[in-house]
Amino acid sequence: MIERLKRFINNGDLRKVRFYTQLITFLLFVYGGYFAISFGSSFPIFVCPFNSESAATCYLISLQHQLARPTEVIFSMASLGVLIGLVTFIAWFAVLNKAWCGYMCPFGTLQDWITALRKRMGIRFSTYTQNEFENLSKIKYIFLAIILLVPLFMGLGMLDREWFHAFCQMCPARIISPMFVGDFSQWMIDFSSVTIMILTSIGVAFAGLFFIGSFVKKRFFCFFCPMSALHYIFAKFSIIRFTKEGDKCTRCGDCYAVCDMQIKDIADDVISKDILRDDCILCLKCVAACPEDDALHFDIFNVKAFSSTKEGFAKRMGIEKPRDKK
């Protein structure tokens, strides 16, 4: 019975599973407020509260609010609130690891839908060179530093309140999320001060860049997402593992060819058992594309939940007989 279930999962159509999962979770997180659904304020994806009907709040905005308190408050019993927020974030994150990005994040889903539109129009996608990829991948850590340091500097009195949730002022989610419920009011530049004018101008520019970039490049914004950087810091706490059996890998490159995030290690690294990288969104397209038994597998509590198999690969590719029976 268990073997039949494993075979059913490993031979399954991942694209359909992912499409319907993304569709359902997009509706749930973006419109859940209409049904009084709330998952709290420490959610590990871009569920933006500037959308009044959002079913949760992105942890990054909560974190900025908590860290912006005066230093003497941060180092008082009030710090318990910061700790609870962090523990709640880790608890949510531990359930799915970076699969939150690949299956649950409304902004990731929106980028995939824009990619699907481009494909229908017959326009080829663009890619980064390896050097560009390595340099651009660092930007998300700069954004994460802004999220952590700006509020702390505010608490120390080194920055004024104009810097309040500075990253959110620049974040495209603040502008785009309300559009899902017909609110376009965030598409504006606030001229109330020079600082706010600069931050909101950057936000509008990033929102425009989000649509243009996502049309020509798969998962364009995910390369720069500070939530992705924060995920990777806590990846070891997750019950999910993404594993590679290097001795079973033939370095055919199929996994790299289907990777939306251009992670070269997935094909080249035959030493590391833990193959999760900071840019990975755990979409598992690489597992589905791998033609070798158990070379790549997605584990829950160290039990293989989805593995690459010759049979699954042949079925997904429309090959009548698995390669080893030819």
Side-chain angles (χ1 to χ4, degrees):
M1 180 66 183
I2 293 176
E3 287 304 316
R4 287 180 62 186
L5 178 61
K6 281 185 177 179
R7 189 179 175 195
F8 173 77
I9 294 172
N10 293 338
N11 289 354
D13 187 341
L14 183 71
R15 288 177 300 179
K16 283 186 179 176
V17 172
R18 190 161 175 245
F19 173 79
Y20 286 112
T21 303
Q22 287 185 298
L23 178 62
I24 292 168
T25 54
F26 183 90
L27 295 174
L28 174 64
F29 296 140
V30 173
Y31 299 107
Y34 284 118
F35 305 97
I37 297 172
S38 176
F39 295 98
S41 59
S42 299
F43 224 50
I45 49 176
F46 271 28
V47 187
C48 185
F50 282 86
N51 166 14
S52 58
E53 303 305 331
S54 173
T57 296
C58 165
Y59 177 59
L60 297 182
I61 189 169
S62 304
L63 181 62
Q64 289 173 94
H65 283 206
Q66 291 168 338
L67 295 180
R69 296 168 180 169
T71 306
E72 59 271 22
V73 176
I74 290 287
F75 289 101
S76 68
M77 285 300 291
S79 62
L80 196 58
V82 181
L83 184 61
I84 291 172
L86 178 61
V87 170
T88 306
F89 164 79
I90 294 173
W92 276 117
F93 171 70
V95 177
L96 290 175
N97 205 325
K98 288 175 76 70
W100 282 104
C101 306
Y103 287 79
M104 300 288 169
C105 179
F107 263 69
T109 297
L110 180 59
Q111 290 174 83
D112 289 340
W113 289 346
I114 293 173
T115 292
L117 174 64
R118 175 187 50 74
K119 283 183 179 176
R120 280 186 175 274
M121 295 173 69
I123 300 173
R124 181 170 170 73
F125 64 90
S126 68
T127 57
Y128 297 125
T129 65
Q130 189 60 25
N131 191 45
E132 289 171 339
F133 169 79
E134 291 173 2
N135 289 328
L136 291 173
S137 290
K138 296 171 185 171
I139 294 176
K140 57 181 170 295
Y141 292 101
I142 296 173
F143 284 140
L144 183 59
I146 290 172
I147 288 167
L148 297 175
L149 295 179
V150 168
L152 290 174
F153 289 156
M154 288 176 61
L156 290 168
M158 298 168 65
L159 294 173
D160 57 32
R161 302 296 293 176
E162 293 175 343
W163 289 89
F164 191 62
H165 57 70
F167 175 75
C168 293
Q169 298 281 10
M170 298 187 289
C171 181
R174 174 184 63 81
I175 296 169
I176 297 171
S177 292
M179 290 170 54
F180 299 138
V181 293
D183 179 3
F184 291 81
S185 63
Q186 296 297 321
W187 282 94
M188 53 85 75
I189 297 172
D190 186 341
F191 290 94
S192 57
S193 75
V194 174
T195 301
I196 293 174
M197 181 190 72
I198 293 172
L199 292 175
T200 54
S201 296
I202 293 172
V204 170
F206 280 174
L209 197 59
F210 173 90
F211 286 110
I212 298 169
S214 300
F215 190 76
V216 297
K217 176 75 186 74
K218 295 176 181 177
R219 288 284 181 148
F220 168 78
F221 181 71
C222 297
F223 284 94
F224 315 113
C225 178
M227 183 67 86
S228 176
L230 191 62
H231 282 179
Y232 192 60
I233 291 171
F234 295 104
K236 300 291 185 189
F237 293 93
S238 177
I239 62 173
I240 300 293
R241 292 285 182 273
F242 184 37
T243 305
K244 180 173 182 177
E245 306 285 350
D247 58 333
K248 297 175 181 175
C249 174
T250 60
R251 300 181 72 172
C252 65
D254 284 3
C255 50
Y256 176 65
V258 299
C259 181
D260 290 345
M261 301 303 294
Q262 291 187 235
I263 300 171
K264 213 161 186 312
D265 275 1
I266 191 67
D268 290 351
D269 188 346
V270 292
I271 304 298
S272 305
K273 200 168 179 68
D274 180 0
I275 201 64
L276 186 74
R277 298 293 182 262
D278 60 350
D279 287 306
C280 181
I281 57 173
L282 266 182
C283 63
L284 305 181
K285 288 167 71 174
C286 53
V287 181
C290 177
E292 304 301 331
D293 286 334
D294 290 328
L296 292 169
H297 44 92
F298 173 81
D299 305 339
I300 303 175
F301 288 117
N302 293 321
V303 175
K304 294 174 186 172
F306 180 53
S307 298
S308 60
T309 63
K310 290 184 173 73
E311 184 182 13
F313 172 80
K315 191 170 183 180
R316 283 185 283 270
M317 293 296 111
I319 303 170
E320 291 186 2
K321 293 181 180 179
R323 286 183 174 181
D324 60 343
K325 292 182 180 179
K326 285 181 177 178

